[in-house]
Amino acid sequence: MNVLELDDVRLDLPSKHGDRTLLRGVSLSLAPGEALGLVGESGSGKSMTLRTVLRTEPAGARVTGRVLLDGRDVRTLGAADLRRVRADAIAMISQNPRAALNPVLRVARFLVEGLCDARGESREAATRRARDLLAQVGIADVDRCMASYPHQLSGGMLQRVVIAAAVASAPRLLLADEPTTALDVTTQSEVMAILDGQRREHGMAMLFVTHDLELASAVCDRIAVLYAGEIVEIATPAQLHAAPRHPYTRLLLDSRPNIAARVPALPVIPGRPIAAYEVEGGCAFAARCPWAAPRCEREEPALVHDAGRTTRCLRAGELADELAGAPADDAAGVSGAPAETGRDGETEARA
Amino acid sequence: MLRFVLRRLGALAATLLISSFLVFSAMYAAPGTPESFLVQGRTVSPEVLASIRAQYGLDDPFLIRYWNWLGGVLTGDLGESLTTRQDVASLLASRIPTTLWLTLYAAVLIVVFGVLAGALAGLRGGAFDTGVLLGSSVGFAVPTFFAAVLLMSVFSVTLGWFPVFGSGSGFAGRIEHLTLPAVALALPAAAVVARITRTAVVEEREAEHVSVALARGVPWRVVARRHILRNAMLPVTTIVGVNIAALVAGAAVVEHAFTLDGVGAMLINSVQQKDFAVVQAVALLLVAVFGVVNLVIDILYAVIDPRVQLGGESA
């Protein structure tokens, strides 16, 4: 059985200008011990997807669909059961460790609290395990770290503390929301390695949210690409890099500059990312897609599972060969893309 | 920690010195002279007037007078009241207990009701929250003197629950006599404290570490106590401290209204009678109390917020 299964999860957030749809039916599954990357631009709904799992979505949000954790729907749990699931089965690592810890309490308090107050373990046992885990995540002076206040530690140290706290309860599922984005570049890879190591060691499944396709490729078994509140493609990192099936994935790969070659202008994805609530029929990506055909504006593509690949594109079949290939080979084709949309923009302006 | 306290005590001494000068000179800046009060409108010969001026040292240069007075204050001699000829220090000592009890009582009311109401409003929301917001607006808007009269007419005169005047003796007697004055005195401050507490709690509830703690399965009551209320107490401590320090001055109005024989009532009387020595002593006492209360609050703040580093340098 899958650890986690999201089945057509939709999220609407009421606002002054009427309801805003943030997720338009996200479905995905996570096998035990598997790491799944959720990749997309800001506002694509990747963090919101994570939050529906822990039920920490903003107040007033309406969520439909099912979120099954080991076959049990998290969305229908009562308060006591939900608290138990949060304490035992799921752990979350958020982007900014400095905001995750209470600034006026010592690190030891934060670590022990998740075991004592949340799970009813004894203070001694909790303290012992907290110390062990701090050592495991590479903290040299455990005593000093335990006795420190958050403001006395660096961001990298704090994120290690958060990782230690997350794995302390031996959860089935780890939710990581851009865990290295707020850190220095030099500590990013270190923290990522620790996170990945701890995950493998404790056999936890992980839903890893990032905007960094390369990072996701390095640590995840599969990657789900999100656009405007829905999944447009799911594939293994190898498949994705060798032959992306969705135009958006292709452009995401290309927008990552090649460090081996200096280019006159960095490739960018034309247009601006749209939010889920701005989608009006047809393919959500059609407006920015260099390969868009007239029917893309009318017909809404479905997520199609075909030969081990999962894609949401009407032209996936026809474009398969064109989208495949290493980014460098395709450089000419991509640099042409912005120009094409530039023309589109003009036609729109005239119309 | 010790260095911090010592430094703050030094600053407090400097504040007192400066304010003693201001207090002393302010009396001479005000219209009217002490000897004109002493003769009480009677026509007296210039010789008598001169002898009075000589007796109180009113002919000495201003700085000399200040110096003499300061020397007396530092040795515990606050001078002699112009009206009663009594020693100001002992006069003050006899008045202090009433004011002390009154302000302590009011301070307890502020902390208990102000902080409690604000915290519950912030945590619960809903109708209770609206009630506290409304109540605090009313409590803040009602002038202390009006509140005193209102309380007296309802609870003393109509219902007969509390005595109308006097400060009572013994613990129970004091509580009985001081309840209405303390309520009147605490009302505006409790209203401010309730509102600030509510805002701080609501703000703290939105903090990311609070939602992180909840997402880790920490029970709500633990999160409310350890993460929301504790952190919200940081700004509340300051507000409570300032309001309690200000009570000593506000006590004057209430003591006057309830005819209590406290320091505040003494201040009002002595100002009206231009009793220099008493006014100066009371004013200096108010400054000292304000400074000490603030020092206590600062130390308390450093204890509850580890980010505050005492003394500025490394802890």
Side-chain angles (χ1 to χ4, degrees), chain A residues 54 56 83 86-87 90 94-96 99-105 109-111 113-114 117-118 123 149 151-152 165, chain B residues 204 207-220 222 226-228 230-231 234 304-307 309:
Chain A
L54 265 178
T56 52
R83 195 184 71 71
R86 286 170 167 183
I90 309 177
S94 53
Q95 192 178 116
N96 182 2
L101 272 72
N102 186 337
V104 302
L105 296 182
R109 217 35 193 290
F110 172 75
L111 285 166
E113 169 182 79
D117 298 291
R123 196 154 287 274
Y149 288 102
H151 70 273
Q152 295 167 325
Chain B
E204 208 52 50
E208 192 179 328
H209 69 85
V210 169
S211 59
V212 166
L214 287 173
R216 294 170 78 204
V218 179
W220 164 250
V222 177
R226 186 181 299 160
H227 296 295
I228 300 177
R230 190 193 191 286
N231 291 32
L234 300 178
I304 56 178
D305 189 349
R307 287 167 299 181
Q309 288 202 345

Side-chain angles (χ1 to χ4, degrees), chain B:
Chain B
M1 185 71 166
L2 188 69
R3 264 181 54 202
F4 170 76
V5 175
L6 284 177
R7 231 172 45 189
R8 287 300 309 266
L9 281 175
L12 181 58
T15 310
L16 281 175
L17 188 69
I18 294 169
S19 42
S20 74
F21 183 76
L22 292 176
V23 161
F24 190 82
S25 42
M27 279 310 278
Y28 288 92
T33 56
E35 68 266 25
S36 67
F37 172 76
L38 282 171
V39 298
Q40 289 184 339
R42 285 167 297 188
T43 339
V44 287
S45 61
E47 291 77 33
V48 177
L49 213 56
S51 77
I52 290 175
R53 292 187 67 88
Q55 187 194 338
Y56 290 98
L58 294 174
D59 288 324
D60 293 337
F62 178 74
L63 283 176
I64 299 287
R65 270 181 284 152
Y66 172 65
W67 182 252
N68 289 338
W69 175 73
L70 189 66
V73 169
L74 289 177
T75 54
D77 175 17
L78 295 172
E80 195 176 71
S81 162
L82 296 185
T83 42
T84 62
R85 295 295 175 93
Q86 276 180 291
D87 178 36
V88 174
S90 57
L91 206 59
L92 208 53
S94 71
R95 296 291 197 119
I96 282 178
T98 300
T99 304
L100 192 68
W101 278 97
L102 176 64
T103 46
L104 276 183
Y105 197 172
V108 170
L109 292 180
I110 290 170
V111 171
V112 171
F113 290 102
V115 174
L116 201 71
L120 282 177
L123 285 176
R124 292 255 171 98
F128 187 77
D129 187 22
T130 316
V132 167
L133 280 176
L134 212 71
S136 67
S137 299
V138 173
F140 187 63
V142 173
T144 304
F145 192 81
F146 180 71
V149 173
L150 196 70
L151 286 170
M152 253 192 288
S153 81
V154 173
F155 292 101
S156 302
V157 178
T158 311
L159 295 169
W161 291 356
F162 296 99
V164 184
F165 59 85
S167 47
S169 58
F171 185 75
R174 280 198 194 279
I175 294 293
E176 193 192 3
H177 279 83
L178 292 180
T179 296
L180 292 185
V183 169
L185 181 57
L187 204 61
V192 172
V193 168
R195 194 165 271 230
I196 299 277
T197 306
R198 178 197 170 272
T199 309
V201 167
V202 167
E203 213 165 89
E204 208 52 50
R205 266 182 80 158
E206 304 294 316
E208 192 179 328
H209 69 85
V210 169
S211 59
V212 166
L214 287 173
R216 294 170 78 204
V218 179
W220 164 250
R221 63 194 150 72
V222 177
V223 175
R225 179 165 43 82
R226 186 181 299 160
H227 296 295
I228 300 177
L229 291 181
R230 190 193 191 286
N231 291 32
M233 282 312 119
L234 300 178
V236 171
T237 309
T238 315
I239 295 298
V240 167
V242 170
N243 275 287
I244 288 179
L247 282 184
V248 186
V253 176
V254 173
E255 284 172 8
H256 192 70
F258 286 90
T259 50
L260 297 173
D261 53 349
V263 177
M266 184 178 162
L267 178 65
I268 293 182
N269 289 336
S270 53
V271 167
Q272 283 168 348
Q273 300 170 344
K274 240 171 161 20
D275 196 339
F276 275 42
V278 177
V279 174
Q280 286 158 351
V282 173
L284 205 56
L285 181 74
L286 293 186
V287 175
V289 168
F290 202 89
V292 169
V293 171
N294 272 321
L295 174 63
V296 170
I297 293 299
D298 280 355
I299 294 172
L300 206 64
Y301 200 97
V303 171
I304 56 178
D305 189 349
R307 287 167 299 181
V308 176
Q309 288 202 345
L310 297 178
E313 295 102 320
S314 61

